[in-house]
Amino acid sequence: MLRVRCLRGGSRGAEAAHLIGAMLGRSASGWTQKLFQSTSSAAAAQTQHAVLEEHVTEPIEQQCPVSSYNEWDPLEEVIVGRAENAQVPAFTVEVKANTYEKYWPFYQKYGGHSFPEDHLKKAVAEIEEMCNILRHEGVTVRRPELNDWSQDYKTPDFSSSGMYAAMPRDILLVVGNEIIEAPMAWRSRFFEYRAYRPLIKEYFRKGAKWTTAPKPTMANELYDQDYPIRTVEDRHKLAAQGKFVTTEYEPCFDAADFIRAGRDIFVQRSQVTNYMGIEWMRRHLAPDYKIHIVSFKDPNPMHIDATFNIIGPGLVLSNPDRPCKQIDMFKKAGWTVVKPPTPLIPDDHPLWMSSKWLSMNVLMLDEKRVMVDANESTIQKMFENLGIKTIKVSIRHANSLGGGFHCWTTDVRRRGTLQSYFY
């Protein structure tokens, strides 16, 4: 009889054995065999002495395809989102709370319909070029499935149509060898996970851990239906009071409100991430990782990476318009805090779902290479002064859909190990 032992990269010491099939008088195969392999260590230990005479193969190392602990280790594989078939979300209370008054007529006109066709075509072309440049830099690029986001759907609690699969950073958080699906807060994004499931299943079959956070019902109780928002002043006042459109009815969070630095992960309470969601993550990742809540002078907190973007060990970009209230904590830890220059994007360029500060929403390819907007010459110079080579790409039309390079990607594998950078 042949017994095979297989060590999976990133596993917690489980050994595979083909003993159950022999004991039952039949061989397990396919998925059943894999299931037995992960659960039969105890049985193997009990019968170890009885099978000493059998031939045992040498352990086979299998590298887990998912491994990323921070935002700057050498990037090997990345998921890049898709703009195809993107739909403008309906102008619901949670969408209104996250958008600015100047764009409300746009949502009232296009909500539940496609983004303007010409603009969308340009965005698709820009992201394709971004993918080509990533490949040229030696990075493996993966893409979500093409979906029809215009379809209406209904749950016992709400009805909606979809949005897009453009921003994998919002829905997927990679921590070590684990992929975590976020329980996002917008109803238009309820089924967004479906575009990524084929990729996630592939990674899972190759050894990655896969966790789906509790799916929110998105019942009316999750949202402050009377959220009193009219002006920027209202936003500042509400944010200062710790009042957000999402309540604590059930856990919710967007993965993009978390940013990683080895064993320390930083998160903000935002319009889409509540304290219940943060607490779920804290318990889930303890004791190997520590979650730190940070806050900013931000009238519309939603996603941390255009406000506070960690680009290297002890090196962080901190938005000067949205100062971090806990910045002394980082300075005491010996970190270098860099304030990026004012963005150069023109006032008349539509940013329906974001701010100009996407200029600092960069993607680190490693500590010495950064993907940055080709039009933002001042931040390019800032990086060059830091000794970081800039990989210039223009995604201005893609910016309009709500994200920069960091938003449009989720890093699946970076070449590095788990370390502590925050003391």
Side-chain angles (χ1 to χ4, degrees), residues 94 133 148 167 252 349 376 392:
E94 74 273 19
I133 293 172
D148 178 6
M167 310 293 164
C252 67
H349 185 78
E376 295 287 343
K392 304 174 184 66

Side-chain angles (χ1 to χ4, degrees), residues 402-421:
F405 300 106
H406 199 255
C407 297
W408 276 91
T409 58
T410 285
D411 38 305
V412 173
R413 189 172 64 258
R414 290 183 180 270
R415 190 170 63 254
T417 57
L418 179 60
Q419 299 182 43
S420 294
Y421 305 94

Side-chain angles (χ1 to χ4, degrees), residues 25 46-47 64 66 89-90 125 150 166 238 263 285 323 351 360 406 408:
Q46 292 173 3
T47 57
C64 181
V66 175
S150 66
L238 291 163
R263 292 192 180 275
L285 293 175
L351 291 171
M360 64 175 282
H406 199 255
W408 276 91

Side-chain angles (χ1 to χ4, degrees), residues 18 114 180 184 219 229 337 387:
H18 289 178
S114 174
I180 301 172
M184 296 189 294
I229 181 171
V337 179

Side-chain angles (χ1 to χ4, degrees), residues 345-380:
I345 191 166
D347 290 337
D348 61 353
H349 185 78
L351 291 171
W352 300 305
M353 308 181 75
S354 54
S355 77
K356 291 184 178 184
W357 283 104
L358 289 178
S359 59
M360 64 175 282
N361 188 258
V362 297
L363 177 68
M364 302 303 296
L365 305 189
D366 54 41
E367 288 186 45
K368 295 299 180 182
R369 290 182 300 159
V370 60
M371 182 164 279
V372 65
D373 194 288
N375 304 287
E376 295 287 343
S377 58
T378 53
I379 200 168
Q380 292 169 22

